Amino acid sequence: MESGSYEGVLLGMGNPLLDISAVVDEAFLAKYDIKPGNAILAEEKHLPMYNELASKVNVEYIAGGSTQNSIRVAQWMLQIPGATSYMGCIGKDKFGEEMKKDAQTAGAHYYEDDNAPTGTCAVCIVGGERSLVANLSAANCYRSEHLKRPENWTLVEKAKYIYIAGFFLTVSPDSIQLVAEHAAATNKVFMMNLSAPFICEFFRDAQEKALPYADYIFGNETEARTFAKVRGWETENTEEIALKISQLPKASGAHKRITVITQGCDPVKTFPVIVLPKEKLVDTNGAGDAFVGGFLSQLVQEKSIDECVRAACYAANVIIQRSGCTYPEKPDFN
């Protein structure tokens, strides 16, 4: 493919969140009732935490949100200007401006809400492991009206691959449905992520509605096991679960469904991962998103699944050696 034909080939939709990232201690987690490795939505009790994190000397602000991370990593891996685009909702505020600066290269088309502040995600790092508490704010205000505007719908029409993290099911299931049905009707590749155990548990109906359209499903082992448990599947074996997910009904027969389940530093099913010595691990925030971004960067070039997984492992390996979902200027993946 010529680089011109890659224009807008990959579209993502999701919750843009500004990561407020800092190294904390166990006491901080206990104070706000957070478990290591959590990925949860903020409740009342968590709200004071954002200011406390922001006051820390080592605090960093990084444009985040699961889908946006994946799209930015895919764009970085591709090194073809304009290959990706992204939609989500931010507020008209300082954090929103930060986000716009950071996400330009990923082709972000934000819906800007007048009344809600830009969404934030507290990234609490203890011993390299991250716990995430998302305060969606404006990200929660995305509406399908924005999607239907001609200048935005053209992004959907241009894209050949569409990726949406499960987190977006809590915000705009009707937007997901519009895009999913479009993909099925036009033979495009539609992809989703299980994203978090709470999505599989509490947003099962919305998930159930979108799943038949998904040609690729991503997730980690915890999410896969929760997904299975909710459906009463009597197995904890991630390989079996991945197989069962692949066999769930599909809305269109154009593509076979492929399920990709990651297992931290264990091999991705039958694919080896790059083992990183513990002292090189900075933080795991964005590792799963980067994995997907690396995967997508090869998928849109119609590379084999082996190549997609190799790129996915490479991207995740780069990200965990850095703070947040950030990367050097150019990849050295070959």
Side-chain angles (χ1 to χ4, degrees):
M1 267 164 110
E2 299 296 302
S3 69
S5 59
Y6 280 113
E7 199 197 326
V9 67
L10 174 63
L11 167 68
M13 288 168 68
N15 304 336
L17 301 173
L18 193 69
D19 283 353
I20 304 175
S21 174
V23 173
V24 300
D25 53 19
E26 304 278 355
F28 184 92
L29 295 190
K31 176 177 174 183
Y32 291 107
D33 191 23
I34 303 162
K35 294 180 184 62
N38 254 151
I40 55 174
L41 293 177
E43 297 167 44
E44 201 63 41
K45 64 182 177 190
H46 297 122
L47 298 180
M49 179 175 73
Y50 294 87
N51 282 337
E52 191 175 335
L53 268 183
S55 68
K56 293 201 176 291
V57 286
N58 60 358
V59 67
E60 289 183 89
Y61 296 96
I62 301 157
S66 182
T67 306
Q68 181 161 256
N69 284 344
S70 297
I71 297 298
R72 286 174 64 217
V73 169
Q75 176 61 55
W76 169 69
M77 289 283 288
L78 279 162
Q79 294 286 311
I80 301 167
T84 61
S85 53
Y86 171 80
M87 285 187 263
C89 184
I90 59 174
K92 293 187 171 171
D93 53 16
K94 187 178 79 160
F95 284 170
E97 290 307 313
E98 282 288 317
M99 191 93 82
K100 285 197 282 200
K101 278 206 305 262
D102 234 1
Q104 255 164 352
T105 51
H109 293 251
Y110 295 123
Y111 169 51
E112 294 185 39
D113 189 270
D114 290 323
N115 307 314
T118 296
T120 48
C121 183
V123 182
C124 312
I125 299 157
V126 179
E129 277 300 314
R130 57 93 178 123
S131 300
L132 307 175
V133 186
N135 185 12
L136 295 180
S137 299
N140 216 4
C141 303
Y142 190 83
R143 297 287 170 266
S144 55
E145 287 67 56
H146 177 258
L147 173 65
K148 290 174 186 160
R149 287 183 202 158
E151 68 274 23
N152 296 324
W153 190 252
T154 58
L155 300 174
V156 179
E157 290 181 327
K158 211 183 271 183
K160 296 186 177 75
Y161 295 82
I162 298 166
Y163 172 70
I164 300 178
F167 294 119
F168 203 52
L169 289 166
T170 72
V171 172
S172 191
D174 56 332
S175 296
I176 297 179
Q177 217 52 31
L178 278 171
V179 170
E181 286 168 13
H182 165 82
T186 53
N187 264 347
K188 295 179 175 182
V189 176
F190 180 72
M191 302 167 283
M192 284 202 79
N193 202 312
L194 300 178
S195 291
F198 82 86
I199 299 287
C200 303
E201 283 180 284
F202 305 117
F203 293 89
R204 179 180 169 175
D205 290 353
Q207 193 183 50
E208 208 93 297
K209 223 178 140 187
L211 277 180
Y213 295 93
D215 302 305
Y216 283 80
I217 304 240
F218 297 92
N220 66 28
E221 53 190 329
T222 322
E223 295 149 10
R225 288 188 181 126
T226 305
F227 185 93
K229 197 175 84 191
V230 168
R231 281 163 183 73
W233 298 350
E234 300 283 306
T235 177
E236 292 252 302
N237 178 316
T238 42
E239 236 159 295
E240 258 175 69
I241 295 168
L243 199 62
K244 285 182 88 117
I245 293 174
S246 298
Q247 292 162 345
L248 288 171
K250 277 197 94 247
S252 125
H255 311 280
K256 285 210 309 274
R257 180 182 297 123
I258 293 176
T259 307
V260 183
I261 305 294
T262 59
Q263 318 187 85
C265 58
D266 293 329
V268 181
K269 288 291 132 275
T270 50
F271 294 100
V273 298
I274 306 159
V275 179
L276 187 72
K278 189 82 174 128
E279 64 275 10
K280 283 197 165 170
L281 174 68
V282 175
D283 79 63
T284 55
N285 183 30
D289 302 335
F291 180 93
V292 173
F295 190 101
L296 298 180
S297 73
Q298 305 307 298
L299 189 67
V300 301
Q301 300 179 70
E302 295 170 11
K303 299 280 177 63
S304 69
I305 293 292
D306 291 30
E307 272 304 279
C308 293
V309 172
R310 201 168 69 82
C313 292
Y314 164 80
N317 187 61
V318 169
I319 299 299
I320 60 177
Q321 296 182 65
R322 302 169 66 93
S323 183
C325 196
T326 60
Y327 31 79
E329 197 186 334
K330 284 201 162 44
D332 58 5
F333 175 76
N334 46 34

